[in-house]
Amino acid sequence: MKLDNIIIPSRDTPAKRWNIETDDGVICHMTQSSCSDTLPPTILLPALCHPHIHLDKAYLSTCNHSPSNTHPGYHDLVPRSGSFAEALANTSKAKERYTEDDLYLRGSQLLANSYTHGVTSLRAFVELDHVTGFLTLTTAIRLKKDFAHLLDMQICVFAQDPIFSTIHGEANRAIVTSALSDYISFIDALGTTPYVEESREASLQNVEWAVTTAIKYKLHLDFHLDYTLAPPVSPKPLVFSVIELLQKHSWVGISKTIVLGHCTQLSVLDDSQLAQLAEAVIASKLPIHFVGLPTSDLYMMGRPEQDTNTSHHRPRGTLQVPSLIKTLGLSACIGVNNVGNAFTPFGTGDPLQLASWGVGIYHAGTIDDARLLYGCVSWRARAAIGINSDVDGREIEAGRRIRGMLLIENRKDVELPGTSNESGFKFPARQRISFKDIVWDPPCVELRSVVR
Ligand SMILES: [Zn+2]
């Protein structure tokens, strides 16, 4: 494969251009070239990653199936109030209708969409409970196999519902436990949702069970945690207990990561409490990564109380990811979470679009911030889910494998219809040459491709 007039923004200034030849995905020749006026530059970048995306409930609100035996309809379950409680209730109803064909189709659509955006790795959350049984998992395993040549897909067996409280808690836990023992070779991570339990005690049981079970099965661990904007009076946010329980069960030394998603409550802590948390995480030496899920958080969090007289006051209510990294020295990244369902009805699921929104959400508008935000949907995301990829693109050189990296092309000209049928209207296209150009103004998918 020959790639000409290539910019590598991770290591060079945009003025430096390369002609690259690959053999079986590895660079065999790499020579510097002069900027070409005739050939628009192409940018070579580390590929994108979804560190946290829900597979089985994607597109429930937008799949528009015509109801049939194999493909149930979900038209009646679109958000009416848009509340979190409604999203939970309607998703539970949707689960009762899942069929294998439906799960496979919506999953394929999500994976195909991800790949065309430039995603080559992901952690797919697959919900298991007393309603779904194993169907969501067995379908995810089919998808993992069928897309293996394009995507490095981790399966996270995920308990969205309580496993230590409510009348279904025990049945839900039994399903997850059986799934782990029957399908362990296909499973990469265990995820739970401690905040849905009915008491603090049950939440702690949930965390401790997940920690010990992940250790038993040698799995990465992934919590949906502290999903509230209520100030923690006492006790502290659950994240502190997670650290203690990981230490109690000697997680240090285990080569699996711990990802903490949402954690919106941390955004209401004061700076000294945040510093205390960062100190606890860093001192623990635990491989803890925070994943901000800003599109879901902004949609669900920060809603005004009923009968308030400040109904226009809407806090962002999401982890301040760049500050976690830059100020507190923590590991963090950002993820899409949901696409086309009641938890996040909007968006295409494009990680680059998410990084772009991060500029506004996080007040992160410098050139360095653009690179950091790109990292949050690329190498930082992969590090969080334990896909060994130190590659932030700086090490690209002869002998290096670049298969699976992302290419972003530029168009030479903009062409529009002219005033008559014969004469077109044409002028040079604006060129994207750096991280800021890509993050501030993400290119359309037609300009993106993955090196094969
Ligand atoms: Zn989630």
Side-chain angles (χ1 to χ4, degrees), residues 266-406:
L266 300 190
S267 70
V268 304
L269 299 188
D270 66 31
D271 287 355
S272 70
Q273 291 169 312
L274 284 166
Q276 194 194 342
L277 172 66
E279 208 180 299
V281 173
I282 292 165
S284 75
K285 295 195 166 53
L286 289 161
I288 289 177
H289 298 254
F290 291 89
V291 56
L293 306 167
T295 41
S296 294
D297 295 347
L298 260 68
Y299 178 64
M300 280 303 178
M301 296 281 107
R303 296 183 179 208
E305 301 281 323
Q306 266 182 347
D307 306 325
T308 178
N309 64 355
T310 54
S311 64
H312 287 219
H313 175 64
R314 313 247 172 163
R316 289 175 173 82
T318 194
L319 272 177
Q320 177 62 17
V321 170
S323 306
L324 293 183
I325 297 169
K326 291 194 296 186
T327 315
L328 298 176
L330 295 170
S331 299
C333 61
I334 54 180
V336 164
N337 196 28
N338 281 298
V339 188
N341 64 29
F343 294 95
T344 317
F346 66 105
T348 61
D350 176 12
L352 258 189
Q353 182 62 64
L354 187 69
S356 189
W357 283 328
V359 175
I361 294 168
Y362 304 126
H363 304 142
T366 68
I367 288 173
D368 284 348
D369 287 334
R371 188 177 186 283
L372 182 135
L373 287 168
Y374 189 90
C376 283
V377 292
S378 178
W379 58 88
R380 289 179 187 277
R382 275 194 295 281
I385 62 172
I387 291 183
N388 198 0
S389 151
D390 48 349
V391 187
D392 66 359
R394 281 180 229 242
E395 310 85 350
I396 294 167
E397 58 195 13
R400 182 106 202 170
R401 184 185 161 91
I402 59 167
R403 176 173 288 155
M405 290 188 74
L406 179 61

Side-chain angles (χ1 to χ4, degrees), residues 48 88 109 176-178 228 258 406:
L48 305 175
L88 282 172
Q109 289 165 341
V176 174
T177 309
S178 312
T228 175
I258 302 111
L406 179 61

Side-chain angles (χ1 to χ4, degrees), residues 13 22 28 160 242 375:
T13 62
T22 64
C28 48
Q160 164 76 67
V242 170

Side-chain angles (χ1 to χ4, degrees), residues 4-10 14 40-46 374 405-410 431-438 443 447-449 451:
D4 291 330
N5 205 21
I6 297 293
I7 298 173
I8 309 173
S10 307
T42 296
I43 310 179
L44 179 64
L45 292 155
Y374 189 90
M405 290 188 74
L406 179 61
L407 291 169
I408 293 181
E409 291 171 50
N410 280 287
Q431 305 290 294
R432 290 183 181 84
I433 57 172
S434 64
F435 280 115
K436 79 165 168 48
D437 299 335
I438 296 160
L447 295 175
R448 309 183 198 182
S449 61
V451 181

Side-chain angles (χ1 to χ4, degrees), residues 210-222:
V211 169
T212 54
T213 308
I215 290 172
K216 178 178 169 191
Y217 288 101
K218 300 187 173 58
L219 295 172
H220 298 292
L221 190 55
D222 206 313

Side-chain angles (χ1 to χ4, degrees), residues 180 184 187-190 213-221 251 254 256-257:
L180 293 175
I184 190 62
I187 299 168
D188 306 276
L190 172 64
T213 308
I215 290 172
K216 178 178 169 191
Y217 288 101
K218 300 187 173 58
L219 295 172
H220 298 292
L221 190 55
W251 189 282
I254 294 174
K256 300 289 173 182
T257 67

